[in-house]
Amino acid sequence: MEEINFWIGIVATIAFAITGVLAIADRGVDIFGVLVLGVITAIGGGTVRDIILQTPTFWSQSQIYVWLALGASILTFMAESFFTQPQIYRWMLYIDGLGAALFGIAGADKAWNMGFGLPLGPVILGIVTAIGGGLLRDILAGRKTLLMSYELYAIPVTLGCCVYVLILNFLPQHTIEGSMVCILAIFGLRAAAIYWDLRVPKMFITKTR
């Protein structure tokens, strides 16, 4: 499972860095700003999780995550016109959804293995890992955060992490299979939301004043 989590982290880091830069590309950010926001998006959630867990941050022990985030950010900056094409950008949203699924389950798994706040702790830290970097990016960029939008983004992660914790608790012998199923479920829900432009139902949204 440890090796799987490593490769999960690699893929998710690259995906988050690219979509993190694309999210603020239209704001006229310079190369330094791009690097900062790209890296924060890629590793911010996992960093917050590790601070809460009082464990060394994952990238301090394997700095490949930081280098990949920097490389992906620079590539996106240099090829912005390519990545912002409607079709390409739409594909990047799917990759971002996959990254959220990967990071969410990896975060929940790490918290569970450390016995942190069972059973709710792993769910909460899975969510933090998946969306924390995006929240930090949006706050620094002065954008509307994910939690303030009506996108089906955090909800699929929450459901997937809840199911994964149930699997860890009742079917620990099927941890690997369970993690794959939950990753696919989160990604499937997020992909459906992107494809059909699904939003949180109005009955669950407070009225603006």
Side-chain angles (χ1 to χ4, degrees):
M1 190 66 189
E2 187 173 335
E3 184 175 350
I4 293 175
N5 282 338
F6 171 77
W7 288 108
I8 283 175
I10 293 295
V11 174
T13 297
I14 295 173
F16 273 24
I18 293 174
T19 54
V21 172
L22 292 177
I24 47 86
D26 61 348
R27 295 184 169 244
V29 183
D30 61 30
I31 182 63
F32 179 75
V34 163
L35 292 175
V36 171
L37 292 174
V39 171
I40 285 176
T41 307
I43 68 174
T47 300
V48 173
R49 175 204 63 209
D50 290 342
I51 290 173
I52 294 173
L53 290 173
Q54 297 183 338
T55 186
T57 55
F58 70 101
W59 52 265
S60 67
Q61 298 177 317
S62 183
Q63 294 187 7
I64 187 174
Y65 296 105
V66 178
W67 289 113
L68 286 173
L70 289 170
S73 299
I74 293 173
L75 174 63
T76 309
F77 177 81
M78 295 177 64
E80 179 189 344
S81 59
F82 170 77
F83 285 109
T84 52
Q85 294 179 56
Q87 191 62 32
I88 300 299
Y89 182 71
R90 192 171 183 83
W91 276 107
M92 294 313 304
L93 290 178
Y94 287 111
I95 295 175
D96 179 81
L98 177 60
L102 295 170
F103 263 176
I105 296 304
D109 185 76
K110 184 170 186 176
W112 178 274
N113 288 332
M114 294 185 67
F116 180 83
L118 304 180
L120 292 179
V123 174
I124 294 172
L125 291 189
I127 298 168
V128 168
T129 308
I131 72 173
L135 290 175
L136 292 173
R137 174 204 63 208
D138 292 340
I139 291 170
L140 290 175
R143 299 174 72 249
K144 190 175 185 179
T145 66
L146 289 170
L147 294 180
M148 297 297 290
S149 68
Y150 307 145
E151 286 190 62
L152 285 175
Y153 195 96
I155 291 176
V157 174
T158 303
L159 294 175
C161 288
C162 286
V163 173
Y164 185 57
V165 167
L166 290 174
I167 292 173
L168 289 171
N169 190 37
F170 296 107
L171 298 169
Q173 69 274 23
H174 297 296
T175 297
I176 294 179
E177 299 93 328
S179 67
M180 294 298 106
V181 169
C182 291
I183 287 170
L184 290 174
I186 294 172
F187 174 66
L189 288 172
R190 178 58 185 150
I194 295 170
Y195 187 81
W196 285 295
D197 194 27
L198 302 178
R199 303 277 173 165
V200 177
K202 290 184 178 180
M203 62 182 295
F204 297 113
I205 301 173
T206 59
K207 295 181 179 180
T208 57
R209 294 180 177 86

